[in-house]
Amino acid sequence: MTIRHALLALLSEGPRYGLQLRQEFEARTGEVWPLNVGQVYTTLQRLERDGLVESDGGDDDGPQKGFKITDEGRAELAAWLRTPPDLSSPPRDELVIKVLVAVELPGVDVHEVVQTHRRYLVQLMQEWTRLKEYAADRDLGFGLAVDAELFRLDAVVRWLDAADGRIKRASLEDRDLPRAPLPKTPRKVVLRP
Amino acid sequence: MTVLELRGVSKVYGEGSAQVHALREVSLSVGEGQLVAVMGPSGSGKSTLLTIAGTLEEPTSGDVLIAGEPVSGMGRDDRARIRRRCLGYVFQDFNLLAGLTVAENVSLPLELDGMPARSAVQCGLRALDELGLRGRAGSFPDELSGGERQRVAIARAVVGDRRLLLADEPSGALDSANGEAVMRLIRAACRRGVAGVVVTHDAQLASWADRVVFLRDGRIVDQTVPASGPESLLTPNP
């Protein structure tokens, strides 16, 4: 989420002071994404420059300066909410690269490499689930943010499980099949930066 | 105190060249109030581990102890008594008896153990109360949603003084909200002192456990170390 649109969203509920915006942002995201004061003020200045918010005109840039959203700001927020984020290109995934490298390296037990990452991920999930167990019912925003993190980590674990199975099957086929010369296939994997 | 202990448990099915080693030298101990998840792919031995822990099958070698008592020395009747009195099972497909009401399903294990019907029903209603299902006591299983059926199955599994809850993919047939509700109930049972073992291939479900052990080709190959504490996630990165 961009801070720009988060601030617009908070201001769409009514005028706020800078400091108030920071506190509410952190409260709404369940403090999962801490924000520093500098980020808040720089972003507010840009929003004001672009005509999306108005300040109450005080010369002082301190925490007592008030802000409100403009009609252009509301239109920008509505458009942003409905614009799908760019998920079309795969992210450069360090874990995928590690597993691809491990498969090729002689003397490396790729299953052990996979398991090391799986254990780490499940441990992280245990910590998030513990947070959810104690706090998610009390705070909708926090519950949603924790769910998102759990589903993201879960997807990575599922990929590791699938990779583990695929590598195992491939090694069994390798062992069982007579060694006929295989057609040379391109093995380069292109991962966009 | 340790409620379930497996010591060097192996299980071999078949003979000669058709032998399948379902479990190899598995050792696992689960204490009072502890929830352990056993994670592994299909065929890794998860379900075999659960049926052996539940005294439904005997290991080829190794020992199973329930509340400190070795199961291997027991006769059939004693094993059945342990199952009725100490163990509760939760299955993916609920396994409730269609012809009995919710209250009768939940109190059935107690009645089978010789408790008079009236006391058994009282115990059953208490278990239903704890899981927020008292209002469903008179319903039949086919009148309930999947999530409610699994909650009834959990009530049945923890009714009376059960010490050990064994669950096989308990949220496998449920959507994520109902799956979460089921895991919250299992956690609640553990907080009251029940020892729990959940076998699953689902990391989200396993993450409710205090400890996750990983099974592969019948062996425990790894386990999570107890977490440093969830607060660490909220500290901004340096």
Side-chain angles (χ1 to χ4, degrees), chain B residues 124-171:
Chain B
L125 291 176
R126 251 202 314 280
L128 289 172
D129 248 348
E130 280 166 12
L131 304 189
L133 288 164
R134 181 64 177 256
R136 294 304 220 162
S139 307
F140 287 91
D142 63 2
E143 295 166 340
L144 306 180
S145 70
E148 286 173 323
R149 280 182 222 181
Q150 196 59 308
R151 281 151 69 199
V152 171
I154 292 171
R156 181 183 59 183
V158 298
V159 73
D161 293 322
R162 252 131 269 267
R163 317 274 303 274
L164 179 59
L165 173 69
L166 303 169
D168 194 349
E169 302 282 4
S171 64

Side-chain angles (χ1 to χ4, degrees), chain A residues 14 21 47 51 56 63 65 78 84 92 95 128 140-141 186:
Chain A
L21 285 168
L47 286 169
D56 57 14
K65 190 169 178 176
R92 184 185 165 83
L95 183 56
W128 282 112
L140 178 62

Side-chain angles (χ1 to χ4, degrees), chain A residues 30-32 34 111 115-116 118-120 122-134 136-137 142 147 150-154 157-158 161 164-165 168, chain B residues 39 176 180 184 187-188 191 201-212 214 216-217 221-236:
Chain A
E31 296 177 32
V32 176
H111 298 296
Q115 176 55 32
T116 302
R118 185 190 282 120
R119 186 209 321 123
Y120 169 75
V122 172
Q123 257 167 230
L124 261 184
M125 290 177 74
Q126 281 178 284
E127 294 176 37
W128 282 112
T129 301
R130 205 65 73 241
L131 277 177
K132 177 160 90 167
E133 186 178 2
Y134 295 115
D137 283 347
F142 182 71
D147 273 345
L150 278 167
F151 277 101
R152 188 180 70 79
L153 295 170
D154 186 40
V157 174
R158 287 165 69 157
D161 291 344
D164 216 5
K168 189 176 176 183
Chain B
M39 253 190 110
S176 70
E180 183 177 322
R184 281 180 187 274
R187 290 282 312 176
R191 271 200 294 277
H201 65 275
D202 178 341
Q204 289 217 40
L205 196 154
S207 70
W208 286 88
D210 300 302
R211 184 155 52 100
V212 181
F214 297 90
R216 185 182 171 85
D217 299 329
V221 291
D222 202 2
Q223 61 175 306
T224 60
V225 293
S228 53
E231 302 77 25
S232 62
L233 292 172
L234 296 184
T235 319

Side-chain angles (χ1 to χ4, degrees), chain B residues 8 23 25 27 37 42 54 60 72 90 92 103 124 129 160 202 209 220 228 232:
Chain B
L23 291 179
E25 295 282 322
S27 294
S42 306
T60 309
S72 58
V90 177
Q92 179 172 344
D129 248 348
D202 178 341
I220 290 182
S228 53
S232 62

Side-chain angles (χ1 to χ4, degrees), chain B residues 9 12 27 48 55-57 74-75 80 87 89 113 118 133-134 142-143 161 164 194 200-202 209 216 224:
Chain B
V9 165
V12 183
S27 294
T48 304
T55 78
L56 295 165
E57 259 191 302
M74 293 179 192
L87 305 185
Y89 298 89
D113 195 36
R118 184 183 296 224
L133 288 164
R134 181 64 177 256
D142 63 2
E143 295 166 340
D161 293 322
L164 179 59
V194 171
T200 183
H201 65 275
D202 178 341
R216 185 182 171 85
T224 60

Side-chain angles (χ1 to χ4, degrees), chain A residues 17-58:
Chain A
Y17 295 112
L19 187 65
Q20 222 180 342
L21 285 168
R22 176 190 168 211
Q23 286 163 345
E24 284 190 34
F25 175 84
E26 293 194 352
R28 302 278 179 96
T29 58
E31 296 177 32
V32 176
W33 296 292
L35 202 58
N36 73 49
V37 178
Q39 285 172 302
V40 174
Y41 288 111
T42 328
T43 310
L44 283 169
Q45 278 165 10
R46 287 195 197 124
L47 286 169
E48 192 174 10
R49 180 198 64 200
D50 298 343
L52 303 178
V53 306
E54 284 170 353
S55 69
D56 57 14

